[in-house]
Amino acid sequence: MEPPLAPPPPSLTVLLLLALALLGSAGLTRSLSITPADQSMFEKAEGEKVTLPCTFVLSDEDEGPLDIEWVLIPTDNQKKEQIIIMYAVDRIYNHYYAAMTGRMQFTSADPKSGDGSLDILNLKSSDTGTYQCKVKKAPGVQSQKIQLTVLVKPARTKCSIEGSQEIGKDVTLKCASQEGSPLLSYDWRRVPDTQELPATSTLNRNTGELLLKNASQEYSGVYSCVASNRVGVDECSIELNVTPPINTAGIIAGAIVGTLLGLSLLAFLVFCCCKKHREKKYEKEVHHDIREDVPPPKSRSSTARSYIGSNRSSLGSMSPSNMEGYTKTPYSQVPSEDFERTSGQNQTFASSKYGIAHKIGDITVV
Protein backbone atom coordinates (compact mmCIF):
# COMPACT_ATOMS: atom_id res chain seq x y z
CA MET A 1 0.00 0.00 0.00
CA GLU A 2 1.32 3.33 -0.97
CA PRO A 3 1.81 6.01 1.78
CA PRO A 4 -0.64 9.02 1.73
CA LEU A 5 0.46 12.01 -0.17
CA ALA A 6 1.68 15.01 1.88
CA PRO A 7 -0.51 18.17 1.80
CA PRO A 8 0.63 20.71 -0.70
CA PRO A 9 2.64 23.57 0.71
CA PRO A 10 0.73 26.82 1.29
CA SER A 11 0.87 29.11 -1.59
CA LEU A 12 2.94 32.23 -1.49
CA THR A 13 -0.17 34.35 -1.76
CA VAL A 14 -1.60 32.99 1.48
CA LEU A 15 1.61 33.66 3.34
CA LEU A 16 1.69 37.23 2.14
CA LEU A 17 -1.86 37.85 3.27
CA LEU A 18 -1.13 36.53 6.76
CA ALA A 19 1.94 38.74 7.05
CA LEU A 20 0.01 41.84 6.05
CA ALA A 21 -2.72 41.07 8.60
CA LEU A 22 -0.19 40.78 11.40
CA LEU A 23 1.52 43.98 10.41
CA GLY A 24 -1.80 45.82 10.28
CA SER A 25 -2.87 44.68 13.71
CA ALA A 26 0.50 45.60 15.16
CA GLY A 27 0.17 49.07 13.68
CA LEU A 28 -3.23 49.62 15.33
CA THR A 29 -1.89 48.60 18.76
CA ARG A 30 1.03 50.98 18.52
CA SER A 31 -1.10 53.90 17.27
CA LEU A 32 -1.76 55.30 20.80
CA SER A 33 0.47 54.79 23.81
CA ILE A 34 0.73 56.26 27.34
CA THR A 35 4.19 56.83 28.67
CA PRO A 36 4.66 54.66 31.77
CA ALA A 37 4.91 56.80 34.92
CA ASP A 38 8.07 56.73 36.97
CA GLN A 39 5.95 55.82 39.99
CA SER A 40 2.44 54.54 40.34
CA MET A 41 2.02 55.33 44.07
CA PHE A 42 2.19 58.76 45.67
CA GLU A 43 2.21 59.76 49.36
CA LYS A 44 1.61 63.39 50.18
CA ALA A 45 0.84 65.43 53.27
CA GLU A 46 -2.47 67.15 53.77
CA GLY A 47 -2.40 70.67 52.36
CA GLU A 48 0.27 69.93 49.78
CA LYS A 49 0.02 69.67 45.97
CA VAL A 50 0.42 66.58 43.79
CA THR A 51 0.77 66.01 40.04
CA LEU A 52 -0.55 62.70 38.73
CA PRO A 53 1.31 61.98 35.46
CA CYS A 54 -0.42 61.00 32.21
CA THR A 55 1.56 61.69 29.02
CA PHE A 56 0.73 60.00 25.74
CA VAL A 57 1.86 59.69 22.12
CA LEU A 58 -0.53 59.79 19.16
CA SER A 59 -0.09 58.23 15.73
CA ASP A 60 -1.19 59.18 12.25
CA GLU A 61 -3.56 56.22 12.21
CA ASP A 62 -5.59 57.77 15.07
CA GLU A 63 -8.17 59.78 13.26
CA GLY A 64 -11.05 60.09 15.77
CA PRO A 65 -11.63 62.93 18.28
CA LEU A 66 -9.31 63.09 21.29
CA ASP A 67 -10.87 62.43 24.70
CA ILE A 68 -8.94 62.61 28.02
CA GLU A 69 -10.65 61.90 31.33
CA TRP A 70 -9.62 61.31 34.91
CA VAL A 71 -11.81 59.10 37.11
CA LEU A 72 -11.74 58.09 40.77
CA ILE A 73 -12.14 54.35 41.20
CA PRO A 74 -14.22 53.58 44.32
CA THR A 75 -13.03 51.00 46.83
CA ASP A 76 -16.48 49.43 46.68
CA ASN A 77 -16.83 47.51 43.42
CA GLN A 78 -20.59 48.01 43.54
CA LYS A 79 -20.20 51.75 42.95
CA LYS A 80 -19.53 53.44 39.65
CA GLU A 81 -16.43 55.34 38.73
CA GLN A 82 -16.56 59.05 39.49
CA ILE A 83 -15.45 61.37 36.67
CA ILE A 84 -13.26 64.17 38.01
CA ILE A 85 -12.24 66.17 34.95
CA MET A 86 -12.52 65.70 31.18
CA TYR A 87 -11.11 67.10 27.97
CA ALA A 88 -13.30 66.59 24.89
CA VAL A 89 -13.90 68.46 21.63
CA ASP A 90 -11.20 70.96 22.54
CA ARG A 91 -12.95 71.90 25.82
CA ILE A 92 -12.25 71.19 29.51
CA TYR A 93 -15.09 70.03 31.79
CA ASN A 94 -14.28 70.15 35.54
CA HIS A 95 -17.67 70.36 37.24
CA TYR A 96 -18.30 66.64 37.71
CA TYR A 97 -16.79 66.20 41.19
CA ALA A 98 -17.90 68.84 43.72
CA ALA A 99 -15.43 67.67 46.39
CA MET A 100 -12.53 68.90 44.25
CA THR A 101 -14.09 71.94 42.66
CA GLY A 102 -11.49 74.68 42.50
CA ARG A 103 -8.68 72.33 43.55
CA MET A 104 -7.93 70.44 40.32
CA GLN A 105 -6.73 71.27 36.82
CA PHE A 106 -4.84 69.84 33.87
CA THR A 107 -1.13 70.45 34.19
CA SER A 108 -0.95 71.64 30.57
CA ALA A 109 -3.13 74.39 29.23
CA ASP A 110 -3.39 72.37 25.98
CA PRO A 111 -3.86 68.67 26.90
CA LYS A 112 -4.04 67.57 23.24
CA SER A 113 -0.31 68.31 22.96
CA GLY A 114 0.33 65.00 24.69
CA ASP A 115 0.23 65.94 28.40
CA GLY A 116 -2.95 64.96 30.21
CA SER A 117 -1.41 65.06 33.71
CA LEU A 118 -3.63 66.19 36.61
CA ASP A 119 -2.78 68.69 39.37
CA ILE A 120 -4.62 68.44 42.72
CA LEU A 121 -4.14 71.41 45.06
CA ASN A 122 -4.57 71.72 48.83
CA LEU A 123 -4.82 67.98 49.38
CA LYS A 124 -7.21 66.52 51.92
CA SER A 125 -7.20 63.15 53.59
CA SER A 126 -10.47 62.39 51.77
CA ASP A 127 -8.58 62.64 48.45
CA THR A 128 -6.93 59.29 49.15
CA GLY A 129 -7.83 56.75 46.46
CA THR A 130 -7.05 55.19 43.08
CA TYR A 131 -7.10 57.51 40.07
CA GLN A 132 -7.22 56.41 36.43
CA CYS A 133 -6.26 58.39 33.32
CA LYS A 134 -8.05 57.36 30.10
CA VAL A 135 -6.96 58.57 26.64
CA LYS A 136 -9.17 57.82 23.64
CA LYS A 137 -8.59 58.57 19.98
CA ALA A 138 -10.26 56.11 17.73
CA PRO A 139 -9.35 53.49 17.10
CA GLY A 140 -6.82 53.64 19.97
CA VAL A 141 -7.68 53.52 23.71
CA GLN A 142 -5.17 53.47 26.60
CA SER A 143 -5.40 53.95 30.39
CA GLN A 144 -3.15 54.14 33.45
CA LYS A 145 -3.87 53.83 37.20
CA ILE A 146 -2.15 55.74 40.00
CA GLN A 147 -2.57 55.27 43.76
CA LEU A 148 -2.68 58.45 45.90
CA THR A 149 -2.41 58.44 49.70
CA VAL A 150 -2.88 61.71 51.59
CA LEU A 151 -1.40 61.60 55.08
CA VAL A 152 -1.93 64.02 57.97
CA LYS A 153 1.14 65.37 59.71
CA PRO A 154 1.36 64.92 63.49
CA ALA A 155 -0.09 67.96 65.26
CA ARG A 156 -1.24 69.12 68.70
CA THR A 157 1.17 66.79 70.44
CA LYS A 158 0.90 66.91 74.24
CA CYS A 159 3.20 65.62 76.99
CA SER A 160 2.09 64.58 80.47
CA ILE A 161 3.38 62.89 83.64
CA GLU A 162 1.68 59.96 85.34
CA GLY A 163 2.65 58.88 88.84
CA SER A 164 4.18 60.47 91.92
CA GLN A 165 7.33 62.49 91.32
CA GLU A 166 9.01 61.21 94.49
CA ILE A 167 12.33 59.52 95.00
CA GLY A 168 12.00 55.75 94.66
CA LYS A 169 8.67 55.88 92.81
CA ASP A 170 7.96 54.84 89.21
CA VAL A 171 7.11 57.71 86.87
CA THR A 172 5.67 57.49 83.35
CA LEU A 173 6.09 60.25 80.78
CA LYS A 174 3.32 60.16 78.18
CA CYS A 175 3.20 61.64 74.68
CA ALA A 176 0.27 61.67 72.23
CA SER A 177 -0.64 63.57 69.06
CA GLN A 178 -4.22 64.73 68.67
CA GLU A 179 -3.85 64.66 64.88
CA GLY A 180 -1.77 62.58 62.51
CA SER A 181 -2.10 59.62 60.20
CA PRO A 182 -0.77 56.26 61.29
CA LEU A 183 1.66 54.86 61.64
CA LEU A 184 2.83 57.34 64.25
CA SER A 185 6.12 56.81 66.02
CA TYR A 186 7.24 58.50 69.25
CA ASP A 187 10.71 59.15 70.56
CA TRP A 188 11.85 60.69 73.88
CA ARG A 189 15.06 62.54 74.60
CA ARG A 190 16.49 64.77 77.31
CA VAL A 191 17.17 68.46 76.86
CA PRO A 192 19.92 69.23 76.06
CA ASP A 193 20.69 66.29 73.81
CA THR A 194 24.03 65.73 75.56
CA GLN A 195 22.15 64.07 78.44
CA GLU A 196 21.11 60.49 77.93
CA LEU A 197 17.90 58.89 79.11
CA PRO A 198 18.11 57.21 82.54
CA ALA A 199 19.43 53.67 82.49
CA THR A 200 16.22 52.35 84.08
CA SER A 201 13.97 53.91 81.42
CA THR A 202 11.83 51.87 79.02
CA LEU A 203 10.46 53.44 75.80
CA ASN A 204 7.40 52.28 73.86
CA ARG A 205 7.58 53.98 70.45
CA ASN A 206 4.05 52.97 69.47
CA THR A 207 2.26 54.38 72.53
CA GLY A 208 4.70 57.18 73.31
CA GLU A 209 5.22 56.13 76.95
CA LEU A 210 8.57 56.43 78.71
CA LEU A 211 8.71 54.50 82.00
CA LEU A 212 11.24 55.66 84.61
CA LYS A 213 11.65 53.09 87.38
CA ASN A 214 12.91 53.89 90.88
CA ALA A 215 13.25 57.60 90.12
CA SER A 216 16.00 59.64 91.70
CA GLN A 217 16.73 63.36 91.81
CA GLU A 218 19.21 62.88 88.94
CA TYR A 219 16.21 62.14 86.72
CA SER A 220 14.96 65.71 87.15
CA GLY A 221 15.10 67.89 84.06
CA VAL A 222 13.38 68.69 80.77
CA TYR A 223 12.27 65.86 78.49
CA SER A 224 11.20 66.26 74.86
CA CYS A 225 8.97 63.95 72.80
CA VAL A 226 9.04 63.84 68.97
CA ALA A 227 6.04 62.39 67.12
CA SER A 228 6.55 61.49 63.46
CA ASN A 229 5.07 59.72 60.48
CA ARG A 230 6.04 59.50 56.81
CA VAL A 231 5.06 63.09 56.03
CA GLY A 232 5.96 65.19 59.06
CA VAL A 233 6.98 65.62 62.70
CA ASP A 234 5.73 67.43 65.79
CA GLU A 235 7.05 67.66 69.34
CA CYS A 236 6.34 68.72 72.91
CA SER A 237 8.34 68.98 76.12
CA ILE A 238 7.76 68.67 79.87
CA GLU A 239 9.77 69.19 83.05
CA LEU A 240 10.25 66.40 85.59
CA ASN A 241 11.01 67.38 89.20
CA VAL A 242 11.82 64.42 91.46
CA THR A 243 11.54 65.38 95.17
CA PRO A 244 11.96 63.59 98.55
CA PRO A 245 8.90 61.78 99.91
CA ILE A 246 6.29 63.91 101.63
CA ASN A 247 5.85 63.55 105.45
CA THR A 248 2.48 61.88 105.37
CA ALA A 249 2.24 61.44 109.15
CA GLY A 250 2.72 65.15 109.76
CA ILE A 251 0.04 66.01 107.24
CA ILE A 252 -2.43 63.61 108.85
CA ALA A 253 -1.69 64.96 112.35
CA GLY A 254 -2.15 68.52 111.17
CA ALA A 255 -5.42 67.62 109.54
CA ILE A 256 -6.69 65.98 112.75
CA VAL A 257 -5.72 68.97 114.91
CA GLY A 258 -7.33 71.37 112.48
CA THR A 259 -10.51 69.31 112.47
CA LEU A 260 -10.70 69.25 116.28
CA LEU A 261 -10.20 73.01 116.49
CA GLY A 262 -12.90 73.54 113.93
CA LEU A 263 -15.33 71.31 115.84
CA SER A 264 -14.54 73.12 119.11
CA LEU A 265 -15.23 76.49 117.55
CA LEU A 266 -18.47 75.20 116.09
CA ALA A 267 -19.60 73.84 119.47
CA PHE A 268 -18.83 77.18 121.15
CA LEU A 269 -20.89 79.07 118.58
CA VAL A 270 -23.81 76.67 119.02
CA PHE A 271 -23.65 77.12 122.82
CA CYS A 272 -23.69 80.91 122.55
CA CYS A 273 -26.64 80.84 120.18
CA CYS A 274 -28.63 78.53 122.48
CA LYS A 275 -27.92 80.72 125.53
CA LYS A 276 -29.03 83.86 123.77
CA HIS A 277 -32.17 82.13 122.58
CA ARG A 278 -33.08 81.05 126.15
CA GLU A 279 -32.61 84.61 127.47
CA LYS A 280 -34.94 86.04 124.85
CA LYS A 281 -37.52 83.36 125.61
CA TYR A 282 -37.42 84.15 129.37
CA GLU A 283 -37.95 87.88 128.76
CA LYS A 284 -41.02 87.15 126.65
CA GLU A 285 -42.51 84.89 129.36
CA VAL A 286 -42.07 87.53 132.11
CA HIS A 287 -43.65 90.19 129.96
CA HIS A 288 -46.77 88.10 129.32
CA ASP A 289 -47.23 87.33 133.08
CA ILE A 290 -48.09 90.99 133.89
CA ARG A 291 -51.91 91.35 133.89
CA GLU A 292 -53.07 94.40 132.09
CA ASP A 293 -56.50 94.54 133.90
CA VAL A 294 -55.00 94.89 137.44
CA PRO A 295 -54.61 98.55 138.50
CA PRO A 296 -51.30 99.69 139.94
CA PRO A 297 -50.99 99.54 143.80
CA LYS A 298 -51.78 102.64 145.79
CA SER A 299 -48.97 104.58 147.42
CA ARG A 300 -48.63 104.79 151.24
CA SER A 301 -49.16 108.51 151.36
CA SER A 302 -52.44 108.41 149.44
CA THR A 303 -53.77 105.65 151.71
CA ALA A 304 -52.95 107.68 154.82
CA ARG A 305 -54.61 110.81 153.44
CA SER A 306 -57.80 108.99 152.63
CA TYR A 307 -57.87 107.44 156.11
CA ILE A 308 -57.34 110.76 157.89
CA GLY A 309 -59.94 112.46 155.70
CA SER A 310 -62.58 109.93 156.61
CA ASN A 311 -61.90 110.25 160.31
CA ARG A 312 -62.01 114.04 160.17
CA SER A 313 -65.53 113.81 158.90
CA SER A 314 -66.40 111.58 161.83
CA LEU A 315 -64.80 113.87 164.43
CA GLY A 316 -66.60 116.90 163.12
CA SER A 317 -69.79 115.69 164.86
CA MET A 318 -68.07 115.05 168.17
CA SER A 319 -67.94 117.46 171.10
CA PRO A 320 -65.30 117.55 173.77
CA SER A 321 -67.74 115.93 176.19
CA ASN A 322 -68.27 112.74 174.26
CA MET A 323 -64.62 112.14 173.34
CA GLU A 324 -63.60 110.73 176.68
CA GLY A 325 -63.58 107.18 175.50
CA TYR A 326 -60.75 107.66 173.03
CA THR A 327 -57.27 106.73 173.99
CA LYS A 328 -54.09 108.17 172.61
CA THR A 329 -52.61 106.15 169.81
CA PRO A 330 -49.38 106.91 167.96
CA TYR A 331 -49.87 108.41 164.50
CA SER A 332 -47.51 105.89 163.12
CA GLN A 333 -50.25 103.25 163.31
CA VAL A 334 -52.05 104.62 160.29
CA PRO A 335 -53.16 101.59 158.15
CA SER A 336 -50.83 100.68 155.31
CA GLU A 337 -51.45 99.76 151.68
CA ASP A 338 -52.66 96.35 152.78
CA PHE A 339 -55.78 97.82 154.29
CA GLU A 340 -58.80 96.80 152.26
CA ARG A 341 -62.29 98.23 152.37
CA THR A 342 -65.21 95.80 152.40
CA SER A 343 -67.42 96.28 149.31
CA GLY A 344 -70.63 98.23 150.07
CA GLN A 345 -69.63 99.21 153.61
CA ASN A 346 -68.06 102.28 155.24
CA GLN A 347 -64.93 102.02 157.27
CA THR A 348 -65.53 101.49 161.00
CA PHE A 349 -62.93 101.71 163.59
CA ALA A 350 -63.07 100.40 167.14
CA SER A 351 -62.28 103.02 169.68
CA SER A 352 -60.31 100.50 171.63
CA LYS A 353 -58.02 99.72 168.75
CA TYR A 354 -57.46 103.02 166.96
CA GLY A 355 -56.86 106.53 168.17
CA ILE A 356 -56.29 109.78 166.31
CA ALA A 357 -54.60 112.95 167.58
CA HIS A 358 -56.63 115.90 166.32
CA LYS A 359 -56.38 119.59 167.30
CA ILE A 360 -59.61 121.60 167.56
CA GLY A 361 -58.84 125.25 168.19
CA ASP A 362 -56.50 125.41 171.22
CA ILE A 363 -57.58 121.95 172.43
CA THR A 364 -55.82 118.79 171.48
CA VAL A 365 -58.14 115.82 171.31
CA VAL A 366 -56.72 112.36 171.75
Side-chain angles (χ1 to χ4, degrees), residues 144-199:
Q144 177 175 266
K145 293 181 180 180
I146 295 178
Q147 178 67 37
L148 172 64
T149 302
V150 181
L151 300 176
V152 179
K153 296 179 181 180
R156 299 169 57 195
T157 304
K158 295 183 179 180
C159 297
S160 61
I161 298 177
E162 184 180 85
S164 177
Q165 301 182 52
E166 297 180 2
I167 295 177
K169 300 290 186 177
D170 292 347
V171 184
T172 302
L173 305 184
K174 291 188 172 184
C175 178
S177 294
Q178 304 299 316
E179 299 177 6
S181 300
L183 297 167
L184 284 172
S185 177
Y186 298 94
D187 189 24
W188 281 93
R189 62 173 182 264
R190 296 191 70 172
V191 180
D193 294 337
T194 54
Q195 300 184 35
E196 296 182 355
L197 292 175

Side-chain angles (χ1 to χ4, degrees), residues 344-365:
Q345 299 179 357
N346 294 327
Q347 294 180 353
T348 58
F349 303 94
S351 59
S352 59
K353 293 183 179 180
Y354 301 97
I356 299 175
H358 189 71
K359 185 176 181 180
I360 303 175
D362 294 334
I363 303 172
T364 301
V365 179

Side-chain angles (χ1 to χ4, degrees), residues 279-290:
E279 291 176 353
K280 289 184 178 180
K281 185 178 180 181
Y282 176 74
E283 291 177 357
K284 291 182 180 179
E285 291 177 352
V286 172
H287 176 74
H288 290 300
D289 287 343
I290 300 176

Side-chain angles (χ1 to χ4, degrees), residues 326-339:
Y326 287 93
T327 59
K328 186 177 182 179
T329 303
Y331 185 76
S332 61
Q333 294 182 359
V334 177
S336 64
E337 298 172 353
D338 297 335
F339 179 82

Side-chain angles (χ1 to χ4, degrees), residues 190 196-203 210-213 216 219 223:
R190 296 191 70 172
E196 296 182 355
L197 292 175
T200 60
S201 63
T202 303
L203 173 61
L210 178 66
L211 175 61
L212 305 177
K213 295 184 178 180
S216 64
Y219 292 2
Y223 290 76

